[in-house]
Amino acid sequence: MKRRTGTAAPESAAARNRRTGTAAREPLGVRQGSRRASAFLARRSLATHRRAWAAVIVATGAAAALIGAFAFVIGSLLVAAPPVQRYAGADAVVAADQKVSYTAKPWGSEPRTTTAYLPERARLDRSVLAAVAGADGVAQAVADDSVPVSTGDGRPAVGRSWPSAALTRYALAEGRAPRDATEVVLDGVLAAGGHAPGGRVVLRADGAARTYTVSGIARTGHGGDAPPAVFFTESRLTALAGHPGRIDAIGVVAEPGVSRDALRDAIGAVLPERSGVPGSDRGVRVLTGAERGEAEHVDALGGRGDQLALLGSIGGTVLMVAILVIASTLSQAIRQRSGELALLRAVGASPRQLRSAIGREAGRVSAAAALLGGVGSVPLGLAMRSLLTTGPLPLPVPWWLPPAAVLAGGLLVALLARPVAMLAARSITRLRPAAALGAATADEPSEPGRFRDVAGVVLAFAGISSAGVATTQSGQAAGAAASGAAMSLVIAVALLGPRISRIALGVLGRPMRKAGGVSGFLAERAASAHTRRLATAFTPIVLVVAFVCVQLASGPTMERASGHQASAALRANLVATGGGAGLPAGAAEAVREAPGVAAATGVLRSTVVLADRQAGEPVLTRLPVLGVEARGLSGTLDPRVTAGDLDRLTGGDAVAVGADRAKSLDVGPGDRVALRLGDGTRVEPRVVAVYGHALGLGEFLFPREALAGHVSAARDQVVLIRTGAGAETGSGSQAASGSGSGADPAAAVRRALAPYGGGVVVRAATGDDVAIAPPVSDGDNAVIVIGVGVIGGFALLAVVSTLALITIGRRGEFRLLRMVGTGRRQLRRMLVLETGLVTFAGLVIGTAVAAVPLTAFAVSLAGTAPYLPPVHYAVIAGAVALAAAAGTLVPGASAGGRFVLGRRAG
């Protein structure tokens, strides 16, 4: 016999593939047969599990609609621009740059620059007018200023110079142009009140109301949406504006035949690098076309940036919630079929065939969901847009926006559904046929995976730690830390759901068994045997409760704390307001001279920009501030000074700082703080006092004269009034009712303010008159509706679809219970008890999850406990209970037909 050599036999391709884990290259006919088998399995499975896939389509379609709607609104905001009204007749507008920038070097990175829009108008030096007028191609350059004006009956209007009427294409319809300071031209809106050339009109601008002669009536066929206008002579308007060396903007009319680009280049060549205003480093811009609207509405783009940031933050939450909902519903749908998939694997279906079949199913489902969501995203986006269309910034709908929104939502669903479904079935399709045969009849694993436990504990610790960090921060850093805490805790609950389910059953299981009898026993045993199913059921409830509670409680918490501090700081018992035009500085002096008035303080509102670093990153924060008069301040307002003296709050080089802001900036009395005023002017005032009621009054208090020259209109919003001690109660009540006798200080104040026009109102003072955070605006309400209503509604829909999917998957269990003798009422009561268990557990856990970041947020920013109106929480609980009942009891009443809740048990 020949001895064998040491050469081994060649390894077969099949053995090599088994050893390396790679798939064999199948012949073309085999691959085609495998595809046909996968397609057959997918078709049969879709028909068999149509109810389960319908629940998945509803959830994923809603996710696609919501994502598409947010893409619709954000896209509309990105292309939004202020309308051109006032400068409709100008070919170009020259204005100071309304943006401010700040550059800093983050930790271990290159220097970065951040920008912010200024809330007040940045003005130009009047010398720029001559340079623009001398540029090539310029036929006319007009200095354009404006002042708020109100008529004798309190109607607001805009005061402008008659030469600037050409910028809006106003033309005289009757009469002539004004010739001196006693004459005005009214536009058609104001003239409709019965005014005609030669008549008289009462107007209030810089001081007491005055009577003017109407010299003419002007009308325009363009810019009809512009506010009512009153035209003065140029010299009179300059005196009313109060800044004779500066102008708001310059309107330019080009010579015939000069193109827009040529005009821009010619003006840019003669402009100075800076606006020429002392203390300002603003550049000069030449605006043409649609950009001209930016010179009319100076803070429109700043408001757009705030809305984009807020909607972007909410959109990120929407995306996270949508991904969680899609992943959980698809995973639950596949997990409920694990026995079926294992049986197919045991009888010879290859892993590739099973994965392909599941992928085909998920692909068809995602296509249907993308179609439904795409169709629904457009009307939902239009509804959200209608809520946000407030103020001077209209939201356009270009032709490409609806298709882009449909694509944004549908594409995410289509791309995410197939891999998620295949990943959910991976544990079954990888089993060997012999092992799959056992898995086909096995119950769900009693213990979750170790990785899941570790990840859940880490995220829970991260969430609690982030909440603790939030209590040591302020401003945006505290809000970001609290938001991160909420996200981490919600995901931790999803990962640790089986563990939490056991704890919930340990607390609620015994009472449920005692109260429910046989049904309670069945409900408790079913929940104990399927803790993962129970966790999947209450996780969407935790999500909706945590999210909605955080959104609804954050605003009321801040408003309540701000209102309490403002009310505690208020010492005035009367307040005078002047409507939209405000009250000029002379009004406060007139009130002080009224009989029975002990003190009066004018209050001017503005905004400053603070450059700071957060986590090393440069940040520009816009902070609302108050400008007050030190004279009589102690009698009308008590900010609770902790250091320094408010009597020194005079001149242009003083500021009072809130205690928390002073601590973060490490400043105190005698130190200087670097700020930018509302128009971008750099200042470094000296700190004269530190006070405690910063949440109610703002983080900075300025002397009124320091802000008056740096606001768009130097008008007091209110005048705080303190009457004599003997008249306080009576004056307050009579002011509120609008009546008063000659001895009543409120009546005396009204007589003192009578020369300032009929729009002046004297009433009892409240904390809202000085609170730095005014009542919720229309824009804030819109964001609340979008954030809570739309996303909360989507989360509730996720609750219904998830619970319906779980209930549909229990048809076999229900049939078996009916076959062994369980009565209809017992089974129905079991479902009710399970629904109550899931709802109660979800509410408790969701409230606890929301309480952690809310407490951190409230302690860090307000120094109080979080507050949610009980009615709001009752609505949340009721909505969750209804959604849980709809997701469990309705499909439970029809799942399995007569064998479940019907009259026969089979």
Side-chain angles (χ1 to χ4, degrees):
M1 293 179 64
K2 293 182 180 180
R3 298 183 61 184
R4 292 181 178 272
T5 63
T7 304
E11 184 179 27
S12 65
R16 182 171 61 254
N17 291 332
R18 286 193 299 270
R19 176 174 56 81
T20 60
T22 59
R25 185 175 180 83
E26 299 173 338
L28 179 61
V30 175
R31 291 200 302 271
Q32 291 177 346
S34 178
R35 292 194 190 100
R36 286 195 294 269
S38 299
F40 172 77
L41 290 175
R43 287 195 303 270
R44 298 292 298 180
S45 180
L46 278 173
T48 304
H49 302 286
R50 59 185 182 277
R51 291 186 177 180
W53 283 122
V56 174
I57 288 175
V58 170
T60 52
L66 196 58
I67 294 170
F70 267 87
F72 187 99
V73 173
I74 292 175
S76 182
L77 267 174
L78 285 173
V79 299
V84 181
Q85 299 168 341
R86 178 166 155 183
Y87 296 122
D91 296 299
V93 179
V94 180
D97 190 1
Q98 286 291 139
K99 286 195 297 186
V100 62
S101 62
Y102 171 52
T103 303
K105 188 178 184 300
W107 303 327
S109 179
E110 295 298 322
R112 296 182 184 177
T113 300
T114 183
T115 60
Y117 283 92
L118 296 170
E120 306 285 359
R121 181 179 293 278
R123 295 187 171 93
L124 299 170
D125 190 89
R126 188 169 285 271
S127 61
V128 179
L129 178 62
V132 173
D136 294 337
V138 175
Q140 184 181 11
V142 180
D144 187 51
D145 281 315
S146 65
V147 294
V149 175
S150 62
T151 62
D153 55 1
R155 286 188 295 169
V158 175
R160 300 174 60 188
S161 68
W162 175 245
S164 69
L167 304 178
T168 321
R169 296 178 183 167
Y170 275 103
L172 282 171
E174 302 176 53
R176 55 173 176 79
R179 295 175 180 173
D180 56 42
T182 64
E183 295 182 341
V184 295
V185 170
L186 303 181
D187 75 348
V189 176
L190 294 178
H195 299 288
R200 312 283 281 177
V201 61
V202 177
L203 301 173
R204 176 171 59 85
D206 64 331
R210 294 183 55 179
T211 301
Y212 293 85
T213 300
V214 178
S215 65
I217 306 298
R219 291 184 172 86
T220 178
H222 193 84
D225 293 332
V230 178
F231 296 98
F232 300 85
T233 62
E234 187 168 9
S235 59
R236 177 59 178 163
L237 192 280
T238 301
L240 292 176
H243 44 81
R246 295 174 291 162
I247 52 179
D248 290 352
I250 301 172
V252 178
V253 178
E255 294 178 349
V258 178
S259 67
R260 180 186 302 174
D261 293 338
L263 180 65
R264 183 192 297 111
D265 294 340
I267 296 175
V270 300
L271 286 177
E273 183 180 354
R274 301 297 178 187
S275 61
V277 177
S280 175
D281 58 357
R282 304 271 56 73
V284 183
R285 299 181 63 198
V286 181
L287 307 174
T288 59
E291 293 178 337
R292 293 170 296 169
E294 298 178 21
E296 299 184 35
H297 312 283
V298 294
D299 197 30
L301 294 183
R304 185 188 71 173
D306 293 341
Q307 283 191 333
L308 278 173
L310 187 55
L311 284 175
S313 175
I314 297 177
T317 303
V318 168
L319 187 60
M320 187 207 73
V321 172
I323 291 175
L324 285 177
V325 168
I326 293 173
S328 64
T329 52
L330 280 171
S331 298
Q332 180 63 27
I334 300 301
R335 191 182 305 122
Q336 289 181 171
R337 298 167 49 194
S338 58
E340 172 190 326
L341 295 174
L343 183 60
L344 288 172
R345 180 74 179 102
V347 297
S350 68
R352 182 173 182 177
Q353 287 175 333
L354 290 179
R355 288 194 298 268
S356 178
I358 293 171
R360 287 172 183 267
E361 285 186 71
R364 294 176 183 178
V365 168
S366 64
L371 179 62
L372 291 174
V375 171
S377 66
V378 175
L380 183 58
L382 288 172
M384 294 166 59
R385 169 186 169 273
S386 66
L387 293 174
L388 290 174
T389 307
T390 57
L393 193 67
L395 302 183
V397 183
W399 66 266
W400 52 264
L401 189 56
V406 171
L407 185 64
L411 189 61
L412 178 66
V413 171
L415 293 178
L416 190 63
R418 185 183 179 98
V420 167
M422 296 174 69
L423 184 63
R426 187 168 178 265
S427 61
I428 299 297
T429 58
R430 292 181 62 186
L431 292 175
R432 293 180 178 274
L437 186 59
T441 57
D443 208 345
E444 71 173 21
S446 58
E447 296 292 336
R450 181 175 300 177
F451 175 78
R452 182 171 179 168
D453 284 346
V454 172
V457 171
V458 169
L459 283 172
F461 179 78
I464 296 173
S465 300
S466 182
V469 170
T471 60
T472 64
Q473 303 293 321
S474 62
Q476 295 179 355
S483 177
M487 296 292 183
S488 299
L489 290 173
V490 168
I491 299 175
V493 168
L495 293 174
L496 297 174
R499 305 286 185 186
I500 298 174
S501 298
R502 290 190 179 88
I503 297 174
L505 283 173
V507 176
L508 302 174
R510 185 181 298 273
M512 187 166 60
R513 286 198 306 270
K514 290 183 177 180
V518 174
S519 299
F521 172 79
L522 292 174
E524 191 273 337
R525 296 310 300 166
S528 299
H530 300 279
T531 54
R532 284 194 175 185
R533 186 175 69 193
L534 179 62
T536 303
F538 68 64
T539 295
I541 297 179
V542 172
L543 176 65
V544 65
V545 173
F547 175 80
V548 175
C549 282
V550 168
Q551 295 296 318
L552 287 182
S554 56
T557 297
M558 295 300 296
E559 290 179 9
R560 192 182 192 210
S562 175
H564 285 171
Q565 286 197 10
S567 297
L570 187 65
R571 293 291 177 267
N573 59 302
L574 292 178
V575 64
T577 62
L583 290 167
E589 186 63 31
V591 170
R592 292 190 189 102
E593 298 176 358
V597 174
T601 304
V603 178
L604 178 67
R605 294 185 182 272
S606 185
T607 304
V608 298
V609 180
L610 174 66
D612 199 2
R613 296 190 186 189
Q614 292 182 0
E617 295 288 336
V619 175
L620 286 172
T621 306
R622 305 200 312 179
L623 300 171
V625 297
L626 299 181
V628 296
E629 298 171 289
R631 180 182 176 185
L633 181 61
S634 60
T636 57
L637 209 59
D638 178 19
R640 193 167 65 82
V641 174
T642 59
D645 185 5
L646 278 180
D647 290 338
R648 298 170 57 193
L649 194 64
T650 58
D653 191 37
V655 68
V657 186
D660 291 339
R661 181 63 65 177
K663 182 179 179 181
S664 65
L665 296 176
D666 192 22
V667 297
D671 297 328
R672 291 190 176 273
V673 56
L675 297 168
R676 289 180 182 267
L677 299 180
D679 65 347
T681 303
R682 295 176 181 267
V683 294
E684 290 190 20
R686 188 181 301 276
V687 178
V688 299
V690 177
Y691 56 92
H693 289 320
L695 189 62
L697 304 180
E699 301 190 59
F700 296 96
L701 286 177
F702 281 85
R704 186 190 182 281
E705 58 266 31
L707 298 179
H710 304 279
V711 295
S712 298
R715 301 291 187 266
D716 289 332
Q717 275 65 43
V718 297
V719 173
L720 302 176
I721 306 164
R722 178 79 172 183
T723 59
E728 290 178 10
T729 303
S731 63
S733 60
Q734 293 190 33
S737 64
S739 62
S741 62
D744 180 16
V749 170
R750 290 192 188 89
R751 287 194 297 271
L753 292 175
Y756 293 88
V760 178
V761 177
V762 180
R763 55 175 173 78
T766 65
D768 290 339
D769 295 318
V770 294
I772 203 66
V776 179
S777 64
D778 292 339
D780 296 333
N781 279 326
V783 174
I784 291 174
V785 170
I786 291 173
V788 176
V790 178
I791 303 177
F794 169 68
L796 286 175
L797 184 60
V799 171
V800 175
S801 61
T802 302
L803 293 178
L805 184 62
I806 292 173
T807 304
I808 291 170
R810 298 175 63 186
R811 289 177 296 177
E813 175 187 339
F814 294 155
R815 289 192 183 98
L816 181 60
L817 288 173
R818 288 291 287 133
M819 292 176 68
V820 298
T822 306
R824 287 179 297 154
R825 293 182 179 178
Q826 290 175 329
L827 191 56
R828 186 182 295 113
R829 192 176 183 189
M830 182 193 79
L831 289 176
V832 171
L833 290 173
E834 288 184 359
T835 303
L837 171 66
V838 168
T839 303
F840 185 78
L843 284 172
V844 172
I845 299 169
T847 303
V849 168
V852 174
L854 278 176
T855 301
F857 174 81
V859 169
S860 61
L861 296 184
T864 63
Y867 172 73
L868 178 64
V871 175
H872 292 178
Y873 189 82
V875 171
I876 296 172
V880 167
L882 288 176
T888 303
L889 301 180
V890 174
S894 59
R898 63 184 181 181
F899 293 100
V900 181
L901 299 181
R903 295 185 176 276
R904 291 195 299 169

